[in-house]
């Protein structure tokens, strides 16, 4: 179904992990109100799987899931449009297909990469989508030798708004791929980061493991120096420059561009300010989940799909209470769960407010990551 929803109801912005989990949780918790999803396409792009595109373990077709059947099962109306702004304290969503009114709003449209670094057009940002992963695949196929530089940055005004985990996976995955192809000795791999402890949100044990893995795999590191710029053939930092024939770089995150056309409260880093119940400060029946939001909690709170799913469950419960005239009080647990994959083995990293765990790399973890992908996508196929 498509078109605007004049009756209002619940409007969910986005078609990623947080948005779709919100829809599932609303229906699972018995909500029968009309639900409209506003997103450019009725598709889920499973970005965690893009780490396997360069090595050929995944293709675009494996990772793009049409959502028509899911929307039909959930009795959801889809508005094929991009959001351009909000008005009336969130009660009206402005889109490229016209205005969409609502009685309750959940913002799950994701974050936006900060692309202010001079020369960033010379770098590929892997988590921008499947196109980016295919560009990496195609470049690797044409390169006979050279230096591959892999790094990530943060939002200087909100250090937690960073997504570094996938960059370790691209780094180790490319290393393993080149070894399998028998041409690793013709390439230099360099990992760069402005921090001396890259990936610190994963915990000290994980950082030590990652750096030890780089040393073992003969991956050079350039750490502790602020980025200056990218050139077509080099990475320039305050600690000096080094040559690079292929640059993969993940900038820090901020809020979506359309926030400038709204009155939503923002965090110092430009994300939507929310409380521990995913409620947007000062507005009625407006919630945020996932990368768009800034939430109270530990400074290592991750920007990952698992966290968006946990927030979606809380937001759905509180929204249902809100619509019934009750105060929603459900919070979400903060935990980091990731398998850092390297094509044929993976390292499990877990962190919550009580403990940290890093398991040695095993083939079982690689297959567990693949099994999770299959199970997760089955919900939407």
């Amino acid at each position: 179904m498509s078109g605007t929803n004049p009756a209002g109801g619940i409007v969910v912005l986005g078609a990623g992990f947080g948005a779709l989990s919100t829809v599932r949780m609303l229906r699972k918790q018995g909500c029968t109100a009309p639900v409209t999803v506003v997103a450019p396409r009725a598709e889920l792009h499973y970005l965690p799987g893009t780490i396997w595109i360069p090595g050929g373990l995944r293709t675009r077709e494996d990772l793009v899931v049409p959502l028509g059947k899911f929307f039909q099962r959930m009795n959801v109306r889809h508005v094929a449009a991009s959001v351009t702004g909000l008005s009336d304290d969130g009660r009206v969503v402005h889109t490229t297909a016209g205005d969409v009114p609502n009685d309750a709003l959940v913002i799950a449209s994701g974050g936006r990469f900060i692309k202010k670094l001079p020369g960033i057009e010379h770098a590929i940002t892997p988590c921008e989508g499947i196109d980016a992963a295919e560009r990496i695949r195609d470049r690797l196929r044409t390169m006979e030798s050279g230096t591959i530089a892999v790094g990530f940055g943060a939002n200087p005004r909100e250090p937690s708004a960073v997504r570094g985990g996938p960059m370790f996976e691209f780094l180790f995955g490319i290393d393993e791929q080149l070894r399998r192809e028998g041409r690793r000795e013709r390439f230099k791999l360099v990992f760069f980061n402005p921090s001396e402890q890259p990936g610190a949100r994963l915990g000290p044990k994980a950082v030590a493991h990652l750096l030890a893995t780089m040393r073992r795999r003969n991956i050079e590191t350039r750490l502790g120096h602020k980025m200056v710029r990218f050139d077509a053939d080099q990475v320039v930092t305050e600690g000096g420059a080094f040559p690079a024939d292929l640059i993969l770089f993940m900038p820090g995150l901020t809020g979506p561009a359309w926030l400038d056309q709204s009155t939503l409260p923002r965090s110092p880093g430009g994300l939507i300010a929310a409380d521990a119940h995913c409620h947007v400060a000062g507005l009625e029946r407006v919630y945020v989940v996932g990368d768009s939001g800034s939430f109270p909690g530990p400074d290592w709170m991750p920007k990952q799909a698992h966290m968006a799913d946990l927030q979606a469950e809380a937001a759905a419960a509180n929204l249902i209470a809100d619509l019934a005239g009750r105060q929603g009080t459900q919070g979400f647990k903060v935990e980091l769960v990731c398998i850092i994959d390297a094509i044929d083995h993976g390292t499990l990293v877990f962190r919550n407010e009580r403990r940290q765990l890093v398991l040695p790399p095993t083939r079982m973890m690689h297959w567990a990551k693949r099994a999770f992908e299959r199970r997760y996508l089955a919900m939407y196929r």
Side-chain angles (χ1 to χ4, degrees):
M1 292 183 290
S2 63
T4 58
N5 182 9
I10 300 168
V11 170
V12 179
L13 306 184
F17 297 105
L20 299 181
S21 290
T22 298
V23 171
R24 283 194 301 107
M25 290 298 113
L26 285 169
R27 294 310 192 213
K28 183 178 180 180
Q29 295 176 39
C31 178
T32 58
V35 175
T36 296
V37 168
V38 179
R41 297 172 299 276
E43 295 175 345
L44 169 64
H45 288 210
Y46 190 78
L47 296 184
T50 58
I51 60 167
W52 292 322
I53 285 180
L57 288 179
R58 290 291 180 273
T59 65
R60 173 183 295 269
E61 291 71 27
D62 296 324
L63 303 177
V64 176
V65 179
L67 294 172
K69 292 181 180 178
F70 171 73
F71 286 160
Q72 193 171 33
R73 291 197 304 271
M74 297 291 114
N75 190 23
V76 164
R77 181 187 298 271
H78 173 231
V79 174
S82 297
V83 177
T84 59
L86 299 178
S87 62
D88 196 18
D89 290 334
R91 290 287 74 84
V92 178
V93 180
H94 305 297
T95 82
T96 52
D99 290 351
V100 182
N102 68 82
D103 299 313
L105 179 66
V106 180
I107 301 166
S109 50
R112 173 171 50 106
F113 292 111
I114 302 171
K115 292 204 157 188
K116 293 183 178 179
L117 198 63
I120 199 165
E121 67 273 11
H122 298 301
I124 299 175
T125 300
C127 277
E128 280 192 318
I130 294 173
D131 287 349
E134 289 176 336
R135 286 175 61 201
I136 297 169
R137 177 198 63 196
D138 296 344
R139 287 286 303 278
L140 287 173
R141 285 176 178 173
T142 61
M143 293 177 70
E144 295 184 359
S145 62
T147 298
I148 301 171
V150 180
F152 62 89
N155 181 331
R157 302 191 67 187
E158 195 148 349
S160 64
V162 61
R163 190 183 291 144
M167 299 311 289
F168 295 118
E169 296 188 285
F170 277 101
L171 177 70
F172 297 139
I174 289 171
D175 173 79
E176 182 64 28
Q177 177 185 341
L178 293 174
R179 291 177 189 275
R180 288 184 170 197
E181 294 169 353
R183 57 195 189 114
R184 175 65 174 88
E185 72 281 357
R186 303 203 298 269
F187 288 83
K188 176 188 283 190
L189 266 61
V190 180
F191 176 79
F192 63 98
N193 192 271
S195 170
E196 292 279 2
Q197 297 290 308
R201 292 188 311 143
L202 299 172
K205 292 180 182 178
V207 173
H209 168 78
L210 292 167
L211 293 178
T213 301
M214 291 180 204
R215 288 191 295 270
R216 189 174 68 252
R217 288 179 166 267
N218 195 28
I219 297 171
E220 188 178 316
T221 56
R222 300 291 185 103
L223 306 176
H225 299 291
K226 186 179 178 181
M227 303 297 306
V228 175
R229 71 176 189 275
F230 296 122
D231 294 332
D233 58 355
Q234 67 174 354
V235 175
V236 182
T237 76
E238 289 183 348
F242 61 91
D245 301 287
L246 173 61
I247 303 170
L248 311 185
F249 180 69
M250 190 88 78
L253 289 165
T254 188
W258 59 259
L259 288 184
D260 290 340
Q261 307 304 317
S262 78
T263 58
L264 294 177
R266 298 197 225 179
S267 68
L271 301 169
I272 301 169
D275 63 18
H277 309 119
C278 300
H279 180 251
V280 176
L283 297 179
E284 290 188 4
R285 300 187 304 282
V286 179
Y287 293 84
V288 61
V289 302
D291 289 354
S292 300
S294 177
F295 306 90
D299 58 6
W300 53 264
M301 187 187 300
K303 292 291 187 188
Q304 63 172 189
H306 176 60
M307 198 70 245
D309 286 343
L310 295 173
Q311 291 162 349
E313 185 173 359
N318 294 329
L319 186 155
I320 291 170
D322 224 348
L323 290 173
R326 306 188 309 271
Q327 183 175 359
T329 58
Q330 182 165 324
F332 53 87
K333 61 182 176 180
V334 179
E335 63 181 20
L336 183 154
V337 184
C338 69
I339 295 174
I340 301 174
D341 189 83
I343 294 186
D344 64 352
H345 62 275
T347 301
L348 175 68
V349 179
F350 173 85
R351 185 176 189 179
N352 62 19
E353 299 192 71
R354 296 183 303 279
R355 65 190 181 112
Q356 299 175 31
L357 177 68
V358 180
L359 295 184
T362 63
R363 291 181 63 86
M364 183 179 71
M365 284 297 111
H366 168 76
W367 288 103
K369 192 178 183 89
R370 293 175 68 155
F372 177 83
E373 174 191 276
R374 184 169 58 251
R375 179 169 151 271
Y376 195 93
L377 294 183
M379 295 188 293
Y380 300 111
R381 293 195 186 280

